[in-house]
């Protein structure tokens, strides 16, 4: 069932209350909305809460596609699928993995795709190249929309907004130079991310040179 996210106003009020600045004297509402935008995008890249799909055009005899051109709103591509009669395209771990299809895989043509691989963050390769122009369904992690006004709603569900609020809280505490509170907040956030199956994204600081 579709859900309605939380408004920027609601999220902003909660964050400012947490950092003891309910009237926004240190952090303006516009500043907090910008940080909510950044945080939602960062967290979606990690947690993949918002997945979208689209259809992209593909060209005959072409295998490499630029993600930012073909799918401008993607953080990264996670899958491809053809029509209802064609199974999902298998992902292989790397470009080198396509050698299982032979040393001349980059020259081969076919009627539908068999495999794909990500080449860094910006390129994908689809194997084999099609004989004619066509299209294919693309599934991707979405670059979430900006919080442009107080009424903008989050693309995270209300239940998913906990890490979002906590991350922005940590950023504001850092801006306030309340380092002890910031460290505690980051620790809480890491606990939540661990439950979500994410490893340590906040590694401990490097030891001070000369420290015992």
């Amino acid at each position: 069932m579709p859900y309605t996210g939380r408004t920027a106003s609601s999220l902003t009020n909660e964050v400012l209350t947490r950092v003891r600045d309910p009237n926004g004297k240190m952090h303006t509402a516009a500043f907090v909305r910008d940080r909510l935008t950044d945080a939602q995008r960062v967290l979606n890249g990690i947690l993949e809460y918002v997945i979208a799909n689209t259809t992209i055009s593909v060209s005959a005899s072409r295998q490499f596609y630029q993600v930012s051109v073909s799918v401008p709103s993607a953080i990264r591509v996670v899958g491809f699928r053809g029509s209802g009669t064609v199974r999902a395209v298998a992902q292989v771990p790397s470009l080198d993995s396509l050698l299982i299809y032979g040393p001349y895989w980059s020259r081969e043509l076919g009627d539908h795709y068999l495999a794909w691989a990500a080449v860094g963050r910006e390129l994908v390769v689809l194997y084999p190249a099609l004989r004619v122009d066509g299209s294919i369904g693309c599934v991707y992690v979405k670059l979430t929309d900006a919080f442009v006004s107080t009424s903008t709603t989050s693309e995270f569900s209300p239940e998913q907004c906990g890490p979002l609020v906590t991350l922005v809280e940590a950023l504001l505490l850092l801006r306030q130079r309340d380092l002890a509170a910031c460290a505690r907040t980051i620790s809480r956030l890491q606990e939540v991310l661990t439950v979500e199956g994410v490893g340590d994204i906040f590694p401990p600081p490097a030891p001070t040179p000369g420290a015992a």
Side-chain angles (χ1 to χ4, degrees):
M1 181 176 180
Y3 59 81
T4 300
R6 291 182 57 184
T7 64
S9 177
S10 167
L11 294 167
T12 298
N13 290 341
E14 181 176 352
V15 172
L16 290 177
T17 298
R18 287 192 184 189
V19 298
R20 297 181 175 84
D21 184 27
N23 297 318
K25 292 184 177 180
M26 180 172 290
H27 314 287
T28 66
F31 179 82
V32 176
R33 287 199 303 273
D34 287 344
R35 302 294 73 77
L36 286 166
T37 294
D38 297 337
Q40 184 171 233
R41 290 172 174 174
V42 167
L43 288 171
N44 199 47
I46 297 169
L47 299 170
E48 300 186 356
Y49 281 157
V50 185
I51 302 293
N53 61 80
T54 189
T55 299
I56 65 171
S57 297
V58 291
S59 304
S61 304
R62 180 180 175 186
Q63 291 189 342
F64 288 84
Y65 293 87
Q66 190 174 352
V67 173
S68 62
V69 173
S70 298
V71 197
S73 60
I75 293 177
R76 65 178 167 275
V77 171
V78 294
F80 290 96
R81 57 176 178 236
S83 66
T85 60
V86 179
R87 68 181 184 276
V89 181
Q91 181 179 9
V92 295
S94 67
L95 197 62
D96 289 343
S97 301
L98 291 171
L99 288 170
I100 63 173
Y101 296 101
Y104 304 109
W105 63 265
S106 61
R107 304 179 189 176
E108 293 184 15
L109 301 176
D111 296 319
H112 60 84
Y113 293 118
L114 298 176
W116 75 279
V119 185
R121 297 178 66 91
E122 181 58 11
L123 291 176
V124 294
V125 57
L126 289 158
Y127 167 84
L130 298 185
R131 302 181 194 279
V132 297
D133 294 348
S135 63
I136 189 169
C138 176
V139 183
Y140 60 95
V141 181
K142 187 176 183 291
L143 182 69
T144 52
D145 297 335
F147 287 94
V148 296
S149 72
T150 58
S151 61
T152 303
T153 57
S154 66
E155 293 187 69
F156 287 3
S157 71
E159 295 76 18
Q160 294 167 340
C161 283
L164 172 60
V165 171
T166 303
L167 178 54
V168 178
E169 177 189 357
L171 294 172
L172 298 192
L173 289 169
L174 182 61
R175 189 180 189 224
Q176 294 173 192
R177 291 177 170 75
D178 190 345
L179 302 185
C182 179
R184 291 192 296 271
T185 302
I186 288 175
S187 179
R188 291 200 333 263
L189 177 59
Q190 185 62 65
E191 290 176 2
V192 173
L193 296 180
T194 299
V195 171
E196 293 280 359
V198 178
D200 191 354
I201 65 170
F202 302 105
T208 303

